[in-house]
Amino acid sequence: MINFTEPTITKTEKDYVSDALDNNLLSGDKKYTKLCNEWFHNYGYKNFLLTTSGSSALELAAILSKIKPGDEFIVPSFTFSSTANAFMLRGAKPIFVEINPDTMDMDVDKIEDKITENTKVIVPVDYAGISCDMDKINQIAKKYNLMVIEDAAQAVGSKYKGHPCGLESDIACFSFHETKNFTMGEGGAVYIKDDTLMDEAEIIREKGTNRKQFLHGMVDKYSWYKIGSSILPSDLLAAILYGQLERFDEILNRRLALWNKYYTFFANLEESGKLRRPHVPEYAAHNGHIFFILLNDEETRNNLMHFLKEHDIVATFHYLPLHAAPLGQEYGYKPGDLPVTEDAAARLLRLPLHHNMADEDVEKVCNLVKEFLEK
Ligand SMILES: Cc1ncc(COP(=O)(O)O)c(C=O)c1O
């Protein structure tokens, strides 16, 4: 059986978890949380906070954006529910924008048409760890005075014009879910560009209190200042993540090697018009998070998925566009509103890609895809 995804956990992660258990590092902001923060500072993220998930990172960002009922945010429909939920929990309305099927990222040429006097935030999503066209998005945001909150859940280890993904945005949100390249089981993080928002973010993350300042001896009692939530992860989970960060290059390079193997193999099938490979724009250096192909139609995609399953290979489709989902329809959208997104989502297939795969596993998947498409 070739699984679609598997985490890579070694002795390093296990040793750190044992250390955390032996030394009462159970709640948040202890040794391993600090080590993870330090690692990310050195990597380039000045203001970085671990969170309990990518979803809670987005919710923290939405609170910081001050978005409110009546406001709108622009978001691709081809994304995870959490990208939209975070802002909808603050009462805002999602305005869905088409994707560019080459990258499956937001189509930057379609953003401006969606802006109204109620727009507050643009929420680009770096699908498959391939960065969005951030300069163009930021130009639009600047022109209309909008915030950019980047959903970089899949983009840890990815770069935009040589910088870690997210640095171009006001806030960027990351995920360390079990399925991501670097994991802590359930977890995430925010990067916050504006130093002055950091104190507020720390209060929101600590249930709306200034407990952190109290623990650091900066105030003699702590109190309730803002609406907030419990967004600080256990140090036990940060211990897993720190083990993964120590193996950062090894994990990243292995994924990229497997991704490149798929990419190279499928060149001929792309040339003969059987499928499309992901397009990585010049400005992006991706992290090999997902390898996807676009088949010519939905039926071929579904039949290929079943064919691979018969050979014990798990390949999967991805997001069902949000605008056409039951909740999207409650917000006034309907199937047919975003034809490019609907068409690409119906043709997309993700192939197995994880650290434990051998080169031969990728070759097996490639050969079966070829056999099926050339039948
Ligand atoms: C684009 C995107 N945004 C947000 C999330 C949510 O992250 P988490 O599962 O850590 O809450 C995911 C997770 O799959 C995602 O892919």
Side-chain angles (χ1 to χ4, degrees):
M1 167 79 115
I2 302 181
N3 283 329
F4 175 67
T5 178
E6 281 177 21
T8 159
I9 297 295
T10 60
K11 189 168 177 303
T12 310
E13 290 83 354
K14 289 179 192 164
D15 285 349
Y16 290 155
V17 170
S18 293
D19 177 53
L21 285 170
D22 290 345
N23 291 290
N24 284 341
L25 304 174
L26 301 182
S27 58
D29 256 345
K30 294 188 172 169
K31 172 176 145 185
Y32 286 103
T33 308
K34 287 179 186 141
L35 284 169
C36 290
N37 271 342
E38 250 172 60
W39 191 95
F40 281 105
H41 288 171
N42 293 335
Y43 186 69
Y45 297 112
K46 182 178 48 154
N47 298 318
F48 197 84
L49 293 173
L50 286 190
T51 60
T52 45
S53 63
S55 305
S56 67
L58 284 156
E59 287 163 31
L60 170 56
I63 298 174
L64 286 170
S65 77
K66 312 270 187 306
I67 203 162
K68 57 183 191 317
D71 289 343
E72 296 173 353
F73 61 103
I74 297 177
V75 65
S77 169
F78 186 73
T79 185
F80 198 56
S81 56
S82 301
T83 323
N85 279 338
F87 300 88
M88 290 160 80
L89 281 165
R90 318 301 317 147
K93 182 177 178 198
I95 304 296
F96 293 113
V97 66
E98 286 278 29
I99 49 164
N100 175 341
D102 287 341
T103 57
M104 304 299 284
D105 284 343
M106 188 177 239
D107 185 341
V108 288
D109 296 327
K110 303 273 168 62
I111 298 175
E112 247 177 308
D113 288 350
K114 302 281 178 187
I115 293 176
T116 70
E117 59 186 13
N118 297 322
T119 313
K120 290 286 156 16
V121 184
I122 304 177
V123 191
V125 178
D126 302 319
Y127 183 71
I130 300 174
S131 175
C132 294
D133 191 345
M134 295 313 299
D135 279 355
K136 283 206 184 145
I137 292 170
N138 280 323
Q139 271 164 21
I140 298 168
K142 202 165 168 204
K143 181 168 166 194
Y144 295 94
N145 196 22
L146 307 175
M147 235 178 142
V148 177
I149 297 182
E150 185 173 345
D151 183 342
Q154 301 178 6
V156 178
S158 299
K159 300 214 161 152
Y160 174 76
K161 295 194 172 169
H163 308 136
C165 252
L167 286 185
E168 258 68 30
S169 297
D170 294 301
I171 303 177
C173 303
F174 304 95
S175 169
F176 300 115
H177 184 261
E178 180 185 317
T179 52
K180 300 297 185 288
N181 291 16
F182 309 96
T183 186
M184 54 197 279
E186 297 278 0
V190 281
Y191 158 74
I192 298 173
K193 188 184 273 172
D194 180 354
D195 297 341
T196 63
L197 279 182
M198 270 303 271
D199 285 348
E200 194 178 339
E202 300 227 31
I203 289 172
I204 294 166
R205 190 173 75 135
E206 275 278 19
K207 301 97 183 163
T209 73
N210 63 339
R211 185 163 173 269
K212 182 149 187 206
Q213 285 177 304
F214 170 73
L215 292 176
H216 286 196
M218 290 152 77
V219 289
D220 53 12
K221 55 183 188 319
Y222 75 88
S223 191
W224 181 36
Y225 280 88
K226 293 181 183 296
I227 47 162
S229 192
S230 181
I231 309 182
L232 177 63
S234 162
D235 218 51
L236 200 53
L237 298 181
I240 303 177
L241 181 62
Y242 188 61
Q244 299 262 291
L245 296 176
E246 285 206 326
R247 299 173 52 222
F248 190 84
D249 289 343
E250 174 213 327
I251 294 174
L252 184 65
N253 292 338
R254 182 68 191 140
R255 289 196 80 100
L256 286 172
L258 295 170
W259 195 101
N260 287 330
K261 213 169 166 53
Y262 275 130
Y263 189 77
T264 308
F265 184 93
F266 289 132
N268 288 342
L269 286 172
E270 184 170 67
E271 214 161 282
S272 58
K274 301 280 188 201
L275 54 75
R276 291 287 305 275
R277 296 176 298 170
H279 169 67
V280 183
E282 235 169 66
Y283 53 72
H286 69 92
N287 59 357
H289 179 54
I290 290 173
F291 189 86
F292 67 85
I293 50 177
L294 287 179
L295 285 313
N296 287 341
D297 53 64
E298 184 173 6
E299 196 186 349
T300 310
R301 191 273 306 267
N302 292 345
N303 290 341
L304 173 57
M305 194 163 63
H306 289 128
F307 176 75
L308 292 172
K309 198 171 172 202
E310 281 165 13
H311 289 83
D312 280 338
I313 292 166
V314 188
T316 62
F317 54 84
H318 212 171
Y319 311 124
L320 301 171
L322 295 183
H323 73 278
L327 186 60
Q329 297 198 34
E330 272 182 42
Y331 274 73
Y333 296 96
K334 58 183 183 321
D337 284 349
L338 295 169
V340 178
T341 300
E342 289 168 39
D343 171 62
R347 293 188 291 115
L348 180 136
L349 187 66
R350 293 179 295 161
L351 299 178
L353 179 59
H354 57 80
H355 195 269
N356 308 332
M357 279 175 83
D359 285 5
E360 297 77 52
D361 293 331
V362 173
E363 281 154 25
K364 182 172 173 192
V365 178
C366 287
N367 286 323
L368 284 166
V369 170
K370 183 170 186 283
E371 180 190 324
F372 177 85
L373 290 177
E374 289 183 343
K375 233 180 358 210

mmCIF file of all heavy atoms in Angstrom, residues 5-37:
data_model
loop_
_atom_site.group_PDB
_atom_site.id
_atom_site.type_symbol
_atom_site.label_atom_id
_atom_site.label_comp_id
_atom_site.label_asym_id
_atom_site.label_seq_id
_atom_site.Cartn_x
_atom_site.Cartn_y
_atom_site.Cartn_z
ATOM 1 N N THR A 5 -0.293 10.206 2.501
ATOM 2 C CA THR A 5 0.605 11.016 3.341
ATOM 3 C C THR A 5 0.939 10.254 4.621
ATOM 4 O O THR A 5 0.130 9.441 5.083
ATOM 5 C CB THR A 5 -0.037 12.390 3.677
ATOM 6 O OG1 THR A 5 0.849 13.109 4.525
ATOM 7 C CG2 THR A 5 -1.366 12.277 4.374
ATOM 8 N N GLU A 6 2.121 10.484 5.133
ATOM 9 C CA GLU A 6 2.537 9.886 6.413
ATOM 10 C C GLU A 6 3.486 10.862 7.075
ATOM 11 O O GLU A 6 4.341 11.432 6.387
ATOM 12 C CB GLU A 6 3.336 8.585 6.179
ATOM 13 C CG GLU A 6 2.500 7.379 5.870
ATOM 14 C CD GLU A 6 3.364 6.134 5.584
ATOM 15 O OE1 GLU A 6 4.549 6.091 6.002
ATOM 16 O OE2 GLU A 6 2.845 5.221 4.927
ATOM 17 N N PRO A 7 3.365 11.034 8.401
ATOM 18 C CA PRO A 7 4.353 11.902 9.063
ATOM 19 C C PRO A 7 5.699 11.198 9.161
ATOM 20 O O PRO A 7 5.760 9.975 9.060
ATOM 21 C CB PRO A 7 3.749 12.113 10.456
ATOM 22 C CG PRO A 7 2.849 10.949 10.664
ATOM 23 C CD PRO A 7 2.385 10.475 9.316
ATOM 24 N N THR A 8 6.749 11.951 9.354
ATOM 25 C CA THR A 8 8.056 11.343 9.573
ATOM 26 C C THR A 8 8.499 11.655 11.002
ATOM 27 O O THR A 8 8.811 12.795 11.327
ATOM 28 C CB THR A 8 9.108 11.843 8.556
ATOM 29 O OG1 THR A 8 10.405 11.616 9.121
ATOM 30 C CG2 THR A 8 8.983 13.312 8.207
ATOM 31 N N ILE A 9 8.438 10.635 11.844
ATOM 32 C CA ILE A 9 8.820 10.818 13.252
ATOM 33 C C ILE A 9 10.005 9.903 13.529
ATOM 34 O O ILE A 9 9.943 8.702 13.246
ATOM 35 C CB ILE A 9 7.641 10.462 14.197
ATOM 36 C CG1 ILE A 9 6.444 11.410 13.959
ATOM 37 C CG2 ILE A 9 8.068 10.504 15.664
ATOM 38 C CD1 ILE A 9 6.670 12.864 14.304
ATOM 39 N N THR A 10 11.069 10.481 14.060
ATOM 40 C CA THR A 10 12.274 9.687 14.342
ATOM 41 C C THR A 10 12.586 9.751 15.837
ATOM 42 O O THR A 10 11.836 10.356 16.622
ATOM 43 C CB THR A 10 13.484 10.232 13.565
ATOM 44 O OG1 THR A 10 13.688 11.580 13.986
ATOM 45 C CG2 THR A 10 13.269 10.189 12.064
ATOM 46 N N LYS A 11 13.746 9.208 16.208
ATOM 47 C CA LYS A 11 14.159 9.197 17.614
ATOM 48 C C LYS A 11 14.272 10.632 18.159
ATOM 49 O O LYS A 11 13.993 10.887 19.324
ATOM 50 C CB LYS A 11 15.504 8.457 17.716
ATOM 51 C CG LYS A 11 15.937 8.192 19.129
ATOM 52 C CD LYS A 11 17.101 7.231 19.185
ATOM 53 C CE LYS A 11 17.595 7.015 20.607
ATOM 54 N NZ LYS A 11 17.986 8.229 21.292
ATOM 55 N N THR A 12 14.691 11.556 17.283
ATOM 56 C CA THR A 12 14.848 12.954 17.727
ATOM 57 C C THR A 12 13.553 13.475 18.352
ATOM 58 O O THR A 12 13.552 13.979 19.482
ATOM 59 C CB THR A 12 15.195 13.852 16.503
ATOM 60 O OG1 THR A 12 16.262 13.240 15.808
ATOM 61 C CG2 THR A 12 15.558 15.258 16.897
ATOM 62 N N GLU A 13 12.443 13.335 17.627
ATOM 63 C CA GLU A 13 11.161 13.846 18.134
ATOM 64 C C GLU A 13 10.781 13.103 19.418
ATOM 65 O O GLU A 13 10.322 13.711 20.385
ATOM 66 C CB GLU A 13 10.047 13.662 17.093
ATOM 67 C CG GLU A 13 10.151 14.560 15.869
ATOM 68 C CD GLU A 13 11.089 14.020 14.789
ATOM 69 O OE1 GLU A 13 11.762 12.999 15.022
ATOM 70 O OE2 GLU A 13 11.154 14.628 13.701
ATOM 71 N N LYS A 14 11.003 11.765 19.422
ATOM 72 C CA LYS A 14 10.613 10.961 20.591
ATOM 73 C C LYS A 14 11.418 11.375 21.823
ATOM 74 O O LYS A 14 10.886 11.479 22.928
ATOM 75 C CB LYS A 14 10.815 9.468 20.306
ATOM 76 C CG LYS A 14 9.797 8.937 19.303
ATOM 77 C CD LYS A 14 10.038 7.471 19.023
ATOM 78 C CE LYS A 14 9.216 7.038 17.826
ATOM 79 N NZ LYS A 14 9.644 5.765 17.263
ATOM 80 N N ASP A 15 12.715 11.625 21.638
ATOM 81 C CA ASP A 15 13.562 12.035 22.769
ATOM 82 C C ASP A 15 13.083 13.363 23.351
ATOM 83 O O ASP A 15 13.046 13.555 24.564
ATOM 84 C CB ASP A 15 15.022 12.198 22.315
ATOM 85 C CG ASP A 15 15.703 10.849 22.117
ATOM 86 O OD1 ASP A 15 15.106 9.823 22.537
ATOM 87 O OD2 ASP A 15 16.805 10.819 21.523
ATOM 88 N N TYR A 16 12.720 14.307 22.459
ATOM 89 C CA TYR A 16 12.275 15.614 22.958
ATOM 90 C C TYR A 16 10.938 15.496 23.693
ATOM 91 O O TYR A 16 10.726 16.170 24.704
ATOM 92 C CB TYR A 16 12.191 16.626 21.810
ATOM 93 C CG TYR A 16 13.556 17.020 21.267
ATOM 94 C CD1 TYR A 16 13.702 17.488 19.972
ATOM 95 C CD2 TYR A 16 14.691 16.916 22.059
ATOM 96 C CE1 TYR A 16 14.948 17.849 19.473
ATOM 97 C CE2 TYR A 16 15.945 17.260 21.564
ATOM 98 C CZ TYR A 16 16.063 17.723 20.275
ATOM 99 O OH TYR A 16 17.306 18.063 19.794
ATOM 100 N N VAL A 17 10.061 14.626 23.202
ATOM 101 C CA VAL A 17 8.771 14.437 23.892
ATOM 102 C C VAL A 17 9.020 13.819 25.272
ATOM 103 O O VAL A 17 8.432 14.262 26.266
ATOM 104 C CB VAL A 17 7.811 13.565 23.047
ATOM 105 C CG1 VAL A 17 6.582 13.175 23.862
ATOM 106 C CG2 VAL A 17 7.382 14.313 21.790
ATOM 107 N N SER A 18 9.917 12.844 25.352
ATOM 108 C CA SER A 18 10.235 12.242 26.668
ATOM 109 C C SER A 18 10.790 13.298 27.600
ATOM 110 O O SER A 18 10.412 13.364 28.784
ATOM 111 C CB SER A 18 11.324 11.176 26.544
ATOM 112 O OG SER A 18 10.873 10.113 25.854
ATOM 113 N N ASP A 19 11.671 14.130 27.064
ATOM 114 C CA ASP A 19 12.256 15.195 27.887
ATOM 115 C C ASP A 19 11.154 16.134 28.390
ATOM 116 O O ASP A 19 11.127 16.506 29.573
ATOM 117 C CB ASP A 19 13.275 15.969 27.036
ATOM 118 C CG ASP A 19 13.872 17.144 27.781
ATOM 119 O OD1 ASP A 19 14.375 16.931 28.909
ATOM 120 O OD2 ASP A 19 13.802 18.275 27.261
ATOM 121 N N ALA A 20 10.219 16.462 27.511
ATOM 122 C CA ALA A 20 9.132 17.364 27.906
ATOM 123 C C ALA A 20 8.283 16.706 29.004
ATOM 124 O O ALA A 20 7.917 17.353 29.995
ATOM 125 C CB ALA A 20 8.279 17.717 26.692
ATOM 126 N N LEU A 21 8.014 15.399 28.850
ATOM 127 C CA LEU A 21 7.203 14.696 29.855
ATOM 128 C C LEU A 21 7.940 14.611 31.190
ATOM 129 O O LEU A 21 7.364 14.817 32.253
ATOM 130 C CB LEU A 21 6.877 13.288 29.360
ATOM 131 C CG LEU A 21 5.805 13.192 28.274
ATOM 132 C CD1 LEU A 21 5.759 11.782 27.697
ATOM 133 C CD2 LEU A 21 4.438 13.593 28.803
ATOM 134 N N ASP A 22 9.238 14.337 31.111
ATOM 135 C CA ASP A 22 10.029 14.180 32.342
ATOM 136 C C ASP A 22 10.199 15.494 33.092
ATOM 137 O O ASP A 22 10.496 15.501 34.278
ATOM 138 C CB ASP A 22 11.433 13.636 32.009
ATOM 139 C CG ASP A 22 11.374 12.194 31.552
ATOM 140 O OD1 ASP A 22 10.328 11.561 31.775
ATOM 141 O OD2 ASP A 22 12.366 11.716 30.945
ATOM 142 N N ASN A 23 10.073 16.599 32.384
ATOM 143 C CA ASN A 23 10.375 17.894 33.015
ATOM 144 C C ASN A 23 9.159 18.818 33.122
ATOM 145 O O ASN A 23 9.322 20.038 33.198
ATOM 146 C CB ASN A 23 11.504 18.575 32.238
ATOM 147 C CG ASN A 23 12.812 17.827 32.425
ATOM 148 O OD1 ASN A 23 13.383 17.842 33.508
ATOM 149 N ND2 ASN A 23 13.239 17.126 31.390
ATOM 150 N N ASN A 24 7.962 18.217 33.102
ATOM 151 C CA ASN A 24 6.732 19.003 33.268
ATOM 152 C C ASN A 24 6.584 20.124 32.251
ATOM 153 O O ASN A 24 6.152 21.227 32.599
ATOM 154 C CB ASN A 24 6.661 19.618 34.679
ATOM 155 C CG ASN A 24 6.295 18.581 35.700
ATOM 156 O OD1 ASN A 24 5.751 17.525 35.342
ATOM 157 N ND2 ASN A 24 6.604 18.863 36.953
ATOM 158 N N LEU A 25 6.982 19.855 31.039
ATOM 159 C CA LEU A 25 6.813 20.877 29.999
ATOM 160 C C LEU A 25 5.498 20.579 29.269
ATOM 161 O O LEU A 25 5.486 20.159 28.120
ATOM 162 C CB LEU A 25 7.997 20.853 29.035
ATOM 163 C CG LEU A 25 9.367 21.026 29.687
ATOM 164 C CD1 LEU A 25 10.492 20.847 28.669
ATOM 165 C CD2 LEU A 25 9.482 22.404 30.333
ATOM 166 N N LEU A 26 4.409 20.781 29.986
ATOM 167 C CA LEU A 26 3.117 20.355 29.438
ATOM 168 C C LEU A 26 2.313 21.521 28.885
ATOM 169 O O LEU A 26 1.785 21.462 27.780
ATOM 170 C CB LEU A 26 2.305 19.617 30.505
ATOM 171 C CG LEU A 26 2.978 18.362 31.074
ATOM 172 C CD1 LEU A 26 2.073 17.686 32.088
ATOM 173 C CD2 LEU A 26 3.346 17.375 29.980
ATOM 174 N N SER A 27 2.195 22.591 29.637
ATOM 175 C CA SER A 27 1.437 23.733 29.106
ATOM 176 C C SER A 27 2.345 24.536 28.167
ATOM 177 O O SER A 27 3.458 24.117 27.866
ATOM 178 C CB SER A 27 0.895 24.590 30.252
ATOM 179 O OG SER A 27 1.963 25.038 31.047
ATOM 180 N N GLY A 28 1.856 25.686 27.733
ATOM 181 C CA GLY A 28 2.552 26.378 26.638
ATOM 182 C C GLY A 28 3.674 27.322 27.053
ATOM 183 O O GLY A 28 3.909 27.561 28.240
ATOM 184 N N ASP A 29 4.363 27.850 26.038
ATOM 185 C CA ASP A 29 5.396 28.875 26.218
ATOM 186 C C ASP A 29 6.540 28.451 27.113
ATOM 187 O O ASP A 29 7.096 29.246 27.863
ATOM 188 C CB ASP A 29 4.771 30.172 26.757
ATOM 189 C CG ASP A 29 4.660 31.209 25.640
ATOM 190 O OD1 ASP A 29 5.311 31.017 24.588
ATOM 191 O OD2 ASP A 29 3.933 32.190 25.819
ATOM 192 N N LYS A 30 6.913 27.160 27.055
ATOM 193 C CA LYS A 30 8.057 26.699 27.833
ATOM 194 C C LYS A 30 9.229 26.441 26.895
ATOM 195 O O LYS A 30 9.290 27.010 25.804
ATOM 196 C CB LYS A 30 7.654 25.490 28.669
ATOM 197 C CG LYS A 30 6.608 25.887 29.729
ATOM 198 C CD LYS A 30 6.327 24.796 30.696
ATOM 199 C CE LYS A 30 5.435 25.348 31.809
ATOM 200 N NZ LYS A 30 4.909 24.281 32.633
ATOM 201 N N LYS A 31 10.130 25.558 27.339
ATOM 202 C CA LYS A 31 11.408 25.392 26.629
ATOM 203 C C LYS A 31 11.260 25.150 25.118
ATOM 204 O O LYS A 31 11.896 25.827 24.308
ATOM 205 C CB LYS A 31 12.152 24.219 27.285
ATOM 206 C CG LYS A 31 13.411 23.786 26.569
ATOM 207 C CD LYS A 31 14.092 22.688 27.393
ATOM 208 C CE LYS A 31 14.761 21.672 26.524
ATOM 209 N NZ LYS A 31 15.307 20.556 27.315
ATOM 210 N N TYR A 32 10.403 24.200 24.735
ATOM 211 C CA TYR A 32 10.360 23.834 23.310
ATOM 212 C C TYR A 32 9.653 24.882 22.458
ATOM 213 O O TYR A 32 10.001 25.090 21.301
ATOM 214 C CB TYR A 32 9.758 22.432 23.126
ATOM 215 C CG TYR A 32 10.754 21.378 23.567
ATOM 216 C CD1 TYR A 32 10.617 20.732 24.788
ATOM 217 C CD2 TYR A 32 11.856 21.078 22.777
ATOM 218 C CE1 TYR A 32 11.558 19.795 25.212
ATOM 219 C CE2 TYR A 32 12.799 20.145 23.187
ATOM 220 C CZ TYR A 32 12.652 19.513 24.396
ATOM 221 O OH TYR A 32 13.594 18.592 24.808
ATOM 222 N N THR A 33 8.662 25.556 23.055
ATOM 223 C CA THR A 33 7.996 26.645 22.331
ATOM 224 C C THR A 33 9.034 27.726 22.041
ATOM 225 O O THR A 33 9.106 28.270 20.934
ATOM 226 C CB THR A 33 6.841 27.224 23.181
ATOM 227 O OG1 THR A 33 6.015 26.138 23.595
ATOM 228 C CG2 THR A 33 6.022 28.238 22.408
ATOM 229 N N LYS A 34 9.871 28.012 23.049
ATOM 230 C CA LYS A 34 10.910 29.042 22.871
ATOM 231 C C LYS A 34 11.935 28.612 21.825
ATOM 232 O O LYS A 34 12.358 29.414 20.994
ATOM 233 C CB LYS A 34 11.588 29.334 24.217
ATOM 234 C CG LYS A 34 10.649 30.124 25.114
ATOM 235 C CD LYS A 34 11.227 30.438 26.464
ATOM 236 C CE LYS A 34 10.124 31.097 27.300
ATOM 237 N NZ LYS A 34 10.122 30.681 28.692
ATOM 238 N N LEU A 35 12.313 27.331 21.864
ATOM 239 C CA LEU A 35 13.289 26.854 20.876
ATOM 240 C C LEU A 35 12.716 26.950 19.457
ATOM 241 O O LEU A 35 13.424 27.324 18.512
ATOM 242 C CB LEU A 35 13.689 25.405 21.187
ATOM 243 C CG LEU A 35 14.655 25.241 22.364
ATOM 244 C CD1 LEU A 35 14.774 23.775 22.772
ATOM 245 C CD2 LEU A 35 16.039 25.798 22.001
ATOM 246 N N CYS A 36 11.433 26.616 19.317
ATOM 247 C CA CYS A 36 10.805 26.713 17.978
ATOM 248 C C CYS A 36 10.796 28.178 17.535
ATOM 249 O O CYS A 36 11.116 28.485 16.375
ATOM 250 C CB CYS A 36 9.372 26.172 17.993
ATOM 251 S SG CYS A 36 9.296 24.386 18.189
ATOM 252 N N ASN A 37 10.411 29.075 18.458
ATOM 253 C CA ASN A 37 10.383 30.504 18.109
ATOM 254 C C ASN A 37 11.751 30.981 17.652
ATOM 255 O O ASN A 37 11.870 31.669 16.641
ATOM 256 C CB ASN A 37 9.989 31.345 19.324
ATOM 257 C CG ASN A 37 8.499 31.492 19.391
ATOM 258 O OD1 ASN A 37 7.798 31.267 18.404
ATOM 259 N ND2 ASN A 37 8.005 31.856 20.553
#
